[in-house]
C-alpha cells in the first residue's frame, strides 16, 4: 500500500461519510468531524405527531440491480439497505394551471417514451431525440458507469448548449418543452443557464428509476453511521473543524476543533459549503481571485416547505408527486421580481409510518400519508434574524413565519385543491434551510452547476487539502456520493479505486 495517510474529513453529510469509508477501506487512518450533533443531518428527516417526514432525501435514481448507486452502496458495505420503489405508472404528474392540463409521467425510459408518444404524437422524433441523448450522456458519464469511455461523454452533439437550446431545437410543443424542463426547475436551475450535459446527468437517473430507502433518509444515515464504526473511522459529532493547521513549510499538519482540541492530519477533505472553506484556513492560503470566487457564488434558490398528513392518497392512480406550474413559460420564474406564490410548487406524498421493507410506496400506506410541499423562497426577507438561532428567534419571527406559511398553504390549495384533505403540522422557511443545509443563504442544493459558473474542483492549490460535496460535482444524494468517489480517486488513485469498485 502507498503511504498511510492520517486524514480528517470535515463534514458528516453523505459526501463526507462516503469519503471516510473509502479512505478507511484503503487502509488510511480517518477521523470524521461533524459540527451537528448527528451524522447525515441533511437527509435524516424528523417526526411530528408520530409521523416521519423526509427532508433531504425523498427519492433517488440509480438503485436498480445494476444501477450506479447500488454499486456504490455495495462497495461501501451498505448493499443490504432495503429499497422501496415508487409507483411506476404515475410517479410524477406535471400540472399546468393556466392550460388546465395534467401530464402523468411513469418511471423508466421505455414507459416514458410510450406515454409521451401517446400524448404528443406529432413530437415522436423530438421525444426520442431527447430521451436517447439523456440516456447516452448518462451511460457514458465518468463515475456513473464503470465501463466508461470518458471521451464519449463529451462527444454528444450540442451537449454544451443550454438545456433550453437543446430541447427547443428538437421539440415544438410548449407543454412538452415544459415537461422536460420540470425536473431542472426542481433542482433550482433555469433551463436557460444549465448545460444539456449537466441536466442529462442528473435527469437520467430520475427517468431511469425512482426509489428511496425503507425508513427514509434516516435509514441511510444510520446505515452509514454503523458502517463507519465497523470500518474503524473515528467519529466526532457536535464539534466542528475551526482551523486547518499548517507547518512553517506550508504543509498540512493538523486541525483545531471548535472546542479547542487539536489533532494531527496530513490530508483534509472539506465537504461543507465552499463559501465557508475560507473560515477554516488562514488568510493568504488562497489567491484573492479564488477567495472572491468562493465568497460570491451563484446559489440554487432557498425554499419554504410545508409538512402535513392526509388519510387518503392525494392524486389519482396512486400518483406520488405533483409538480405544479402556472404556465409553460418558465423564463420569469428565476427573475427576482417573480412572486413564488405563483409557483412552481412540488408536492411529495408517501406512507407516513416509515417505509416497510420490500413494499411499493403506496402498498405500504395504511395509516395515512406524509405530505411535503416546497416552493422557492428568498433568504433576503430573513436578514433581520440572520444572527439568531433556532428556538431563540422571538415572537416576531414566529408571526412572520406563520404568515408566510399560511400564504403558501393558500396558494397551494388554489393550485392543487387535492391538498384540502391535508392537515399541516409544521413548516420551514429560508432561515430554517440556512441552518439545516449549512449554506450562506439557505440554498437547497448549494452552488448552482450552470454554464455561467464553474464550481470548485476536488483539488485545491494546497497539497493535501481536497474538496467534495454537492457543490463540487452535482446536487442530490447520488451527486454527493459520486463527488466523494471522484475526490478519493485523486487521493488513492482513480484506477485503483475503479479496480476496487469492479472487484
Ligand atoms: C429539502 C431538500 C430536499 C432534497 N431532496 C432530495 C431528494 O429527494 N433526492 C436527492 O437525491 N437529494 C435531495 N436533496 C439534496 C441532498 O440532500 C443533498 O444533495 C446531499 O445531502 C448533500 O450532501 P453533502 O454531503 O454534499 O452536504 P451536507 O449534507 O450539507 O454535508 C456537509 C456537512 O458538513 C458539515 N460541516 C460544514 N462545515 C463544517 C466544519 N467546519 N466542521 C464540521 N462539520 C462541518 C455540515 O454540518 C454538514 O453536515 C434535498 C435537499 C433538500 C434540502
Amino acid at each position: 500500500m502507498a503511504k498511510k495517510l492520517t486524514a480528517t474529513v470535515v463534514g458528516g453529510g453523505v459526501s463526507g461519510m462516503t469519503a471516510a469509508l473509502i479512505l478507511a477501506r484503503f487502509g488510511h487512518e480517518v477521523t470524521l468531524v461533524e459540527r451537528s450533533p448527528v451524522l447525515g443531518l441533511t437527509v435524516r428527516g424528523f417526526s411530528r405527531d408520530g409521523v416521519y417526514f423526509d427532508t433531504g432525501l425523498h427519492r433517488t435514481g440509480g438503485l436498480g440491480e445494476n444501477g450506479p448507486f447500488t454499486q456504490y452502496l455495495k462497495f461501501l458495505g451498505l448493499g443490504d439497505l432495503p429499497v422501496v420503489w415508487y409507483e411506476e405508472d404515475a410517479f410524477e404528474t406535471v400540472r399546468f394551471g393556466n392550460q388546465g392540463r395534467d401530464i402523468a409521467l411513469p418511471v423508466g425510459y421505455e414507459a416514458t417514451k410510450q406515454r409521451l408518444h401517446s400524448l404528443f404524437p406529432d413530437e415522436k422524433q423530438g421525444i426520442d431525440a431527447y430521451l436517447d441523448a439523456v440516456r447516452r450522456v448518462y451511460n457514458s458519464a465518468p463515475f456513473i458507469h464503470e465501463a466508461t469511455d470518458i471521451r464519449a461523454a463529451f462527444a454528444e452533439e450540442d451537449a454544451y448548449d443550454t438545456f433550453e437550446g437543446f430541447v427547443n431545437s428538437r421539440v415544438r410543443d410548449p407543454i412538452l418543452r415544459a415537461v422536460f424542463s420540470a425536473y431542472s426547475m426542481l433542482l433550482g436551475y433555469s433551463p436557460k443557464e444549465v448545460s444539456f450535459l449537466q441536466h442529462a446527468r442528473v435527469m437520467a437517473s430520475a427517468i431511469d428509476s425512482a426509489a428511496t430507502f425503507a425508513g427514509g433518509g434516516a435509514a441511510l444515515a444510520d446505515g452509514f453511521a454503523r458502517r463507519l464504526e465497523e470500518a474503524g473511522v473515528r467519529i466526532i459529532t457536535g464539534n466542528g473543524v475551526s482551523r486547518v493547521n499548517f507547518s512553517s513549510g506550508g504543509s498540512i499538519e493538523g486541525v483545531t476543533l471548535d472546542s479547542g482540541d487539536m489533532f494531527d492530519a496530513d490530508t483534509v477533505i472539506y465537504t461543507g459549503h465552499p463559501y465557508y472553506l475560507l473560515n477554516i484556513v488562514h488568510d493568504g492560503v488562497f489567491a484573492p481571485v479564488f477567495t472572491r470566487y468562493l465568497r460570491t457564488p451563484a446559489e440554487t434558490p432557498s425554499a419554504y416547505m410545508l409538512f402535513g398528513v392526509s388519510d387518503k392518497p392525494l392524486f389519482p392512480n396512486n400518483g406520488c408527486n405533483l409538480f405544479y406550474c402556472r404556465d409553460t413559460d418558465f423564463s420569469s420564474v428565476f427573475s427576482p421580481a417573480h412572486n413564488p406564490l405563483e409557483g412552481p410548487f412540488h408536492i411529495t406524498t408517501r406512507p407516513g409510518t416509515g417505509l416497510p421493507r420490500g413494499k411499493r410506496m403506496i402498498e405500504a400506506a395504511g395509516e395515512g400519508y406524509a405530505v411535503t410541499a416546497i416552493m422557492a423562497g428568498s433568504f433576503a426577507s430573513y436578514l433581520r434574524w440572520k444572527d439568531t438561532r433556532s428556538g431563540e428567534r422571538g415572537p416576531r419571527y414566529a408571526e412572520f413565519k406563520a404568515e408566510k406559511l399560511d400564504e403558501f398553504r393558500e396558494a397551494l390549495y388554489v393550485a392543487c385543491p387535492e391538498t384540502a384533505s391535508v392537515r399541516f403540522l409544521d413548516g420551514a422557511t429560508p432561515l430554517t434551510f440556512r441552518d439545516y443545509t449549512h449554506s450562506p443563504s439557505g440554498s437547497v442544493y448549494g452552488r448552482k452547476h450552470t454554464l455561467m459558473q464553474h464550481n470548485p474542483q476536488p483539488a485545491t492549490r494546497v497539497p493535501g487539502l481536497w474538496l467534495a460535496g454537492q457543490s463540487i460535482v452535482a446536487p442530490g444524494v447520488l451527486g454527493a456520493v459520486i463527488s466523494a468517489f471522484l475526490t478519493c480517486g485523486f487521493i488513492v488513485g482513480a484506477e485503483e479505486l475503479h479496480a476496487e469498485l469492479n472487484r
Side-chain angles (χ1 to χ4, degrees):
M1 191 186 87
K3 178 183 165 244
K4 183 170 175 168
L5 301 172
T6 306
T8 292
V9 178
V10 184
V14 168
S15 59
M17 294 190 288
T18 304
L21 281 177
I22 298 170
L23 294 186
R25 176 156 171 164
F26 276 81
H28 301 297
E29 189 185 314
V30 188
T31 303
L32 176 65
V33 186
E34 168 54 51
R35 187 168 270 140
S36 315
V38 288
L39 292 176
L41 184 68
T42 313
V43 295
R44 219 164 240 292
F46 68 97
S47 293
R48 282 285 176 284
D49 287 8
V51 178
Y52 173 76
F53 292 97
D54 259 316
T55 48
L57 173 58
H58 302 269
R59 53 80 59 89
T60 179
L63 281 176
E65 200 179 334
N66 296 313
F69 204 174
T70 305
Q71 302 304 323
Y72 287 131
L73 289 173
K74 279 187 188 158
F75 175 89
L76 297 170
L78 290 163
D80 58 348
L81 277 181
V83 165
V84 184
W85 295 95
Y86 276 92
E87 294 301 295
E88 280 170 11
D89 195 40
F91 164 62
E92 180 99 39
T93 297
V94 186
R95 171 170 297 170
F96 297 98
N98 282 352
Q99 284 76 11
R101 188 149 177 208
D102 280 6
I103 310 276
L105 295 172
V107 181
Y109 279 97
E110 286 316 312
T112 304
K113 216 177 233 188
Q114 279 168 23
R115 178 75 50 85
L116 292 176
H117 280 183
S118 70
L119 291 169
F120 302 94
D122 296 340
E123 295 278 8
K124 280 186 181 165
Q125 218 180 337
I127 293 164
D128 292 356
Y130 168 78
L131 288 173
D132 293 347
V134 166
R135 184 147 51 171
R136 274 198 304 279
V137 166
Y138 184 57
N139 287 344
S140 58
F143 271 96
I144 291 183
H145 289 281
E146 297 140 15
T148 290
D149 174 356
I150 289 180
R151 283 160 307 173
F154 300 96
E156 186 63 45
E157 192 196 343
D158 301 348
Y160 287 99
D161 194 355
T162 61
F163 165 62
E164 183 184 73
F166 188 95
V167 167
N168 287 2
S169 63
R170 287 159 176 81
V171 168
R172 289 175 306 274
D173 189 305
I175 293 193
L176 183 58
R177 286 177 178 174
V179 166
F180 287 148
S181 306
Y183 201 73
S184 135
M185 303 289 293
L186 254 182
L187 291 172
Y189 305 146
S190 154
K192 285 185 191 315
E193 60 184 359
V194 65
S195 70
F196 176 73
L197 188 78
Q198 180 71 15
H199 162 85
R201 283 183 181 167
V202 180
M203 185 66 203
S205 70
I207 298 176
D208 184 49
S209 60
T212 185
F213 300 96
L220 178 66
D222 287 341
F224 263 113
R226 191 190 68 239
R227 277 295 301 135
L228 286 159
E229 278 189 25
E230 286 166 4
V233 172
R234 178 161 72 126
I235 301 169
I236 298 174
T237 53
N239 205 348
V241 168
S242 57
R243 263 283 178 259
V244 177
N245 303 321
F246 293 88
S247 69
S248 52
S251 51
I252 292 179
E253 61 178 15
V255 297
T256 303
L257 300 183
D258 297 338
S259 60
D261 294 335
M262 296 166 77
F263 52 84
D264 292 346
D266 50 31
T267 301
V268 171
I269 302 182
Y270 174 80
T271 69
H273 192 291
Y275 181 92
Y276 295 119
L277 172 64
L278 297 168
N279 291 0
I280 64 166
V281 293
H282 59 76
D283 290 349
V285 164
F286 296 120
V289 66
F290 189 68
T291 303
R292 260 199 316 280
Y293 157 81
L294 292 181
R295 279 288 191 230
T296 51
E299 291 280 283
T300 54
S302 190
Y304 288 92
M305 217 161 165
L306 286 168
F307 303 96
V309 286
S310 169
D311 294 338
K312 51 180 190 169
L314 294 194
F315 308 120
N317 304 324
N318 288 340
C320 296
N321 304 317
L322 184 113
F323 180 82
Y324 168 86
C325 35
R326 181 176 278 208
D327 213 334
T328 54
D329 179 7
F330 294 142
S331 52
S332 65
V333 166
F334 286 89
S335 107
H338 176 71
N339 177 4
L341 292 169
E342 294 179 358
F345 310 129
H346 190 254
I347 305 174
T348 302
T349 62
R350 51 189 288 169
T353 49
L355 297 162
R357 185 184 277 263
K359 292 271 185 180
R360 288 200 166 268
M361 194 65 77
I362 294 297
E363 288 168 0
E367 297 169 45
Y369 297 83
V371 179
T372 55
I374 189 163
M375 78 167 178
S378 166
F379 186 69
S381 321
Y382 291 84
L383 287 176
R384 69 197 113 154
W385 292 289
K386 74 178 171 36
D387 297 323
T388 62
R389 286 153 52 121
S390 176
E392 299 169 6
R393 295 191 167 127
R396 282 199 55 209
Y397 173 71
E399 258 171 51
F400 189 75
K401 175 178 173 180
E403 193 185 306
K404 289 288 168 194
L405 292 177
D406 277 349
E407 286 172 5
F408 179 19
R409 216 178 344 249
E410 279 163 29
L412 193 65
Y413 172 66
V414 172
C416 315
E418 297 92 332
T419 55
S421 67
V422 180
R423 185 165 57 91
F424 286 104
L425 301 173
D426 209 338
T429 70
L431 198 57
T432 326
F433 274 90
R434 194 272 313 258
D435 293 348
Y436 280 91
T437 63
H438 325 281
S439 61
S441 56
S443 59
V444 173
Y445 291 106
R447 288 173 68 112
K448 280 185 178 182
H449 296 272
T450 66
L451 283 163
M452 277 71 87
Q453 170 169 271
H454 287 288
N455 277 332
Q457 300 295 306
T460 70
R461 70 186 280 185
V462 180
L465 178 58
W466 305 90
L467 307 180
Q470 65 173 355
S471 290
I472 308 302
V473 171
V477 166
L478 183 52
V481 166
I482 290 172
S483 98
F485 272 88
L486 189 66
T487 301
C488 290
F490 281 91
I491 300 171
V492 301
E495 282 182 14
E496 287 79 354
L497 185 50
H498 255 118
E500 274 292 295
L501 256 169
N502 292 335
R503 259 199 323 148

